[in-house]
Amino acid sequence: LSPGQARAFLTGLLEIGSGIGAMAGLRCTGGNLALCAFILGWGGLSVQLQTRAVLADSGLECKGLMACKLLHGILSALLAAGLRAFFL
């Protein structure tokens, strides 16, 4: 990863908007497309914790939410990487 990509990835792990914002100025490449798709699929740790806070008193369980969102991010990145030939 380039320093810009690493910054976007680490920021995106915490917060979706900041992660996507950190990608500003990066070239439009297949790797950056996959990184963006991962950040959007993952959603950020802050969103995960906000969801847990909202569901805390609702009686609904969110077991496996982080694992599913991580899988969502990974599958989004793989799909974006696979489809990049059609768009880039």
Side-chain angles (χ1 to χ4, degrees):
L1 291 177
S2 72
Q5 289 173 319
R7 179 174 176 252
F9 176 72
L10 294 174
T11 306
L13 285 177
L14 297 176
E15 209 274 320
I16 188 172
S18 298
I20 298 300
M23 293 192 73
L26 294 179
R27 292 188 51 218
C28 184
T29 64
N32 288 339
L33 177 65
L35 176 61
C36 183
F38 172 80
I39 293 171
L40 291 172
W42 162 246
L45 186 61
S46 65
V47 172
Q48 313 284 333
L49 297 176
Q50 289 171 28
T51 303
R52 287 183 181 270
V54 168
L55 294 178
D57 295 330
S58 69
L60 298 173
E61 293 186 22
C62 51
K63 291 181 181 174
L65 175 66
M66 284 196 192
C68 288
K69 289 302 287 181
L70 180 63
L71 180 61
H72 184 183
I74 292 169
L75 290 175
S76 296
L78 291 173
L79 183 61
L83 292 175
R84 77 174 188 254
F86 295 108
F87 301 108
L88 296 178

